[in-house]
Amino acid sequence: AQQAAFAWVQAHVPEDAIVQMEPMVRGRDHWSLIPSFAQRRMSAGLPISLLPVREYAEGSAQVQQIYRTNDPREARQLAKERGIQYFYIDEEDRAAYPDGIEKFGAAYFERSYDSNGVTIVRVR
């Protein structure tokens, strides 16, 4: 399911778009799924190959707040501030933020892809 979603991103999302995955749930071991397999940049992540840097931790905490919040306006505002145009959502996100994921169905977001438990939404 992940690989199909990453292939969809490569085919349908502009090359310069920022596609964000929640970095805190996945941790340093899996931070590069979007850059590696979807070949798109992320706004924040926790790279394993680099020493822990405050900027990475702060950015990742801001992204985590986007996933955590129930308020779609807050999520959209934070996304715009970070330059995020798309969000990747899968079972890990739904398990970690069961209440927060619902806001991605609000008018501030557009479901662009939804297959086999993976959803990609565009920030409006």
Side-chain angles (χ1 to χ4, degrees), residues 101-113:
I101 297 302
E102 291 181 27
K103 67 143 158 328
F104 288 118
Y108 298 106
F109 302 95
E110 176 184 345
R111 186 171 294 191
S112 300
Y113 176 89

Side-chain angles (χ1 to χ4, degrees), residues 1 17 25 36 40 48 60 68-69 76 81 89 95 101 109 112:
V25 168
S36 295
R40 297 298 181 272
I48 194 169
S60 294
R68 180 178 286 152
T69 185
R76 181 181 183 269
E81 289 173 9
I89 303 157
I101 297 302
F109 302 95
S112 300

